[in-house]
Amino acid sequence: MILEEIREGVVYVNGTSYFGATETVKLPEIQFRTNERKPTGGIGSLELPGGLDKLEMEIGWKSYDRRLARSLFNPRVATSLQIRSVKRVFDGAGGVSSEVAVVTHITVLPKSFGLGEHKGGEAIDVPTKFAVHAIKQIVGNETLVDIDVINQIFAIGGEDLLSNLRNILGI
């Protein structure tokens, strides 16, 4: 049996600047929209693909760079985030047989950010919610998911699912 896990999660702003210590990073859940159809004379209804629901993510900070916060928390400026993680593969004896990078590139706009929750003897928690306009996750050298809502890009496992649509629309 081979076991795998993805761990860690370091956040960079604009690809180069380490932003701060995170407690949690909740990446977007990709939810598919469907349109219900009830064919005339049919015995039931069915759901057909209709696109994607809006993408959101959350980050809980323990500390952050105040200079970078000016751009990341500005609701009028889209910001590029990069979250770097490691995927470890364990062999049957429990030893690490390989490690590869998991890099998630995300373009976000802030929806809300807290000013912190103080608890005795603990670091504050600063929750932040973001609207996600684009996300691309690369595991090793393989692109797992690539979504760019504004530019009509949607690819899973390297397969561009909207290529024909963009061609038909002349985009």
Side-chain angles (χ1 to χ4, degrees):
M1 174 191 294
I2 296 177
L3 300 173
E4 301 177 340
E5 70 177 7
I6 297 175
R7 298 184 60 114
E8 316 309 331
V10 179
V11 179
Y12 294 87
V13 175
N14 298 322
T16 58
S17 300
Y18 175 70
F19 185 72
T22 59
E23 179 72 15
T24 58
V25 176
K26 184 178 178 188
L27 295 174
E29 179 179 343
I30 299 168
Q31 295 181 341
F32 302 103
R33 268 190 288 124
T34 59
N35 298 314
E36 184 176 355
R37 289 291 185 99
K38 296 179 183 178
T40 305
I43 60 170
S45 61
L46 48 107
E47 293 186 11
L48 301 173
L52 299 175
D53 276 341
K54 63 184 176 179
L55 301 172
E56 300 176 322
M57 71 174 289
E58 298 178 20
I59 300 178
W61 307 98
K62 288 298 181 189
S63 68
Y64 54 82
D65 183 320
R66 64 180 170 78
R67 293 167 294 160
L68 293 173
R70 289 182 195 139
S71 65
L72 185 60
F73 296 159
N74 184 342
R76 294 179 170 214
V77 178
T79 302
S80 296
L81 297 179
Q82 182 184 90
I83 294 131
R84 298 190 64 86
S85 306
V86 61
K87 177 182 178 184
R88 290 192 180 107
V89 178
F90 299 90
D91 60 25
V96 175
S97 62
S98 69
E99 292 181 317
V100 295
V102 177
V103 182
T104 307
H105 302 273
I106 308 173
T107 303
V108 298
L109 280 174
K111 291 181 69 168
S112 68
F113 66 93
L115 297 177
E117 180 178 343
H118 295 272
K119 294 180 183 177
E122 296 181 20
I124 67 167
D125 181 40
V126 181
T128 311
K129 293 182 182 179
F130 297 97
V132 175
H133 293 177
I135 183 167
K136 183 175 189 175
Q137 188 171 71
I138 303 165
V139 179
N141 294 322
E142 181 181 333
T143 300
L144 179 63
V145 63
D146 187 2
I147 298 172
D148 186 330
V149 176
I150 295 170
N151 293 304
Q152 298 271 351
I153 295 172
F154 179 40
I156 300 290
E159 181 184 355
D160 185 347
L161 302 175
L162 296 181
S163 175
N164 189 45
L165 177 64
R166 286 193 309 274
N167 186 43
I168 290 170
L169 297 176
I171 299 175

